[in-house]
Amino acid sequence: MLNIVLFGPPGAGKGTQSERLKDKYGLIHISTGDVFRALDPESDLAKLAKSYSDKGNLVPDEITIKILESEVSKFPDAKGVIYDGFPRTTAQAEALDAFLAIKGTSVTAMLSLVVSEEELKARLIARAEVSGRKDDADPAIIQNRIETYKKTTAPVAGFYKVQGKLSEIDGVGSIQDITERLFSAVDSL
Ligand code: AMP
């Protein structure tokens, strides 16, 4: 199984590039952010998740890990999965390793998109126009998401680095250029 963690700060292009990787390699694309946004808005779970995401905070690990595991379990025959926006904490990375080990598989690689902070902010503000996402529209919330990334999520790269699974990919350039960089990284796995 090809299990790819597509990593990077908010606005790095994970969603866009995941779709392209999914099509090229016939994988399942699981974005925990998309899963939270697709919940029935009237449900307690959706309200709880939104109380964190609207402020740019992470949803607690316990909830996020359960959501991820139930999503993966919907595709027992998948030939591989792209994890987009998960894991975002070391506890989530440990849980993913344990979950995949039970299935007799493991994370193949983490591909980490590298983009400067200035570029991220510009992209998120531009995305707000089309995404309608509350957490994209407000500069203070964007800043909180970036700070949360730096403090809590960036260390997850170290978790995969010690396993020899981390590849950093330049996330600046045309969408197509970045896709090609990712394809060559996957082809060399
Ligand atoms: P995203 O679409 O990946 O930008 O995620 C939007 C929001 O969903 C994040 O700001 C978090 O509030 C929540 N979220 C998504 N994935 C996770 C995760 N792995 N851990 C905790 N919260 C998450």
Side-chain angles (χ1 to χ4, degrees), residues 28-41 43 45-47 49-50 53 59 63-75 81-86 88 133:
I28 304 295
H29 169 204
I30 297 180
S31 150
T32 38
D34 285 350
V35 175
F36 286 133
R37 284 184 289 275
L39 293 170
D40 170 2
S43 67
L45 185 56
K47 287 179 188 160
K50 209 167 154 24
S53 59
V59 178
I63 301 168
T64 309
I65 291 165
K66 268 199 208 136
I67 283 268
L68 184 276
E69 292 183 356
S70 88
E71 198 62 25
V72 176
S73 301
K74 288 182 188 165
F75 305 97
V81 178
I82 304 167
Y83 296 88
D84 160 8
F86 186 97
R88 264 172 152 105
R133 280 174 56 172

Side-chain angles (χ1 to χ4, degrees), residues 9 11 15 26 30 72 79 88 90 108 124 132 148 150 163-164 167 188:
I30 297 180
V72 176
K79 73 182 234 208
R88 264 172 152 105
T90 304
T108 315
L124 289 170
T148 302
K150 288 200 266 192
Q163 297 185 24
S167 279
S188 65

